[in-house]
Amino acid sequence: AHLAESGGGSVQAGGSLRLSCVASGWTYTKYCMGWFRQAPGNEREGITTIDSNGRTNYADSVKGRFTISEDKDKNVVYLQMNGLQPEDTAMYYCAADVESDTRRCSITHPKYEYNFWGQGTQVTVSS
């Protein structure tokens, strides 16, 4: 399988973006999909997850502003980002874990458990 993100760009504070993560060659029915971000000099952090049962989990830093969703027919996971702030500036990645128990799917799920990663899409928020 292959993951590809798109939808990044530059916006002003308070703006919105919707990121997409398209999964090609996808044959999995049980999975944990996560969105991560990494700012320069920082570690890659998990910000939200969705599992194959539709359960979602959010980091406090994005809760109430970001929404993860999926279109199973199209094998796409979305990240709707509203109320963007300069501190949201980062490279955003999607990832998929297709082996672990989906009950473990959350933002604290270890990065090394994810089997597939996208190449990332840059989000830049100016003040």
Side-chain angles (χ1 to χ4, degrees), residues 7 10-18 65 80-84:
S10 297
V11 297
Q12 291 191 327
S16 298
L17 284 172
R18 188 177 80 158
R65 299 188 299 126
Q80 178 67 44
M81 305 186 295
N82 299 328
L84 284 162

Side-chain angles (χ1 to χ4, degrees), residues 3-49:
L3 304 181
E5 305 94 335
S6 63
S10 297
V11 297
Q12 291 191 327
S16 298
L17 284 172
R18 188 177 80 158
L19 307 184
S20 298
C21 173
V22 178
S24 56
W26 191 258
T27 60
Y28 305 99
T29 57
K30 293 183 179 181
Y31 52 82
C32 173
M33 299 292 295
W35 281 100
F36 295 76
R37 66 185 181 186
Q38 187 170 18
N42 290 356
E43 289 191 6
R44 191 172 299 189
E45 61 169 342
I47 56 174
T48 183
T49 58

Side-chain angles (χ1 to χ4, degrees), residues 107-121:
I107 59 166
T108 59
H109 194 51
K111 289 187 287 291
Y112 62 79
E113 296 274 16
Y114 286 86
N115 309 101
F116 305 104
W117 289 85
Q119 81 289 347
T121 186

Side-chain angles (χ1 to χ4, degrees), residues 52-95:
S52 47
N53 295 303
R55 290 186 293 255
T56 60
N57 186 242
Y58 295 91
D60 288 343
S61 58
V62 305
K63 196 174 295 182
R65 299 188 299 126
F66 292 10
T67 303
I68 189 170
S69 62
E70 63 177 341
D71 184 331
K72 291 190 175 186
D73 291 335
K74 296 181 179 179
N75 292 331
V76 181
V77 175
Y78 301 102
L79 181 63
Q80 178 67 44
M81 305 186 295
N82 299 328
L84 284 162
Q85 298 300 318
E87 54 265 34
D88 295 316
T89 295
M91 185 73 80
Y92 283 70
Y93 300 88
C94 65

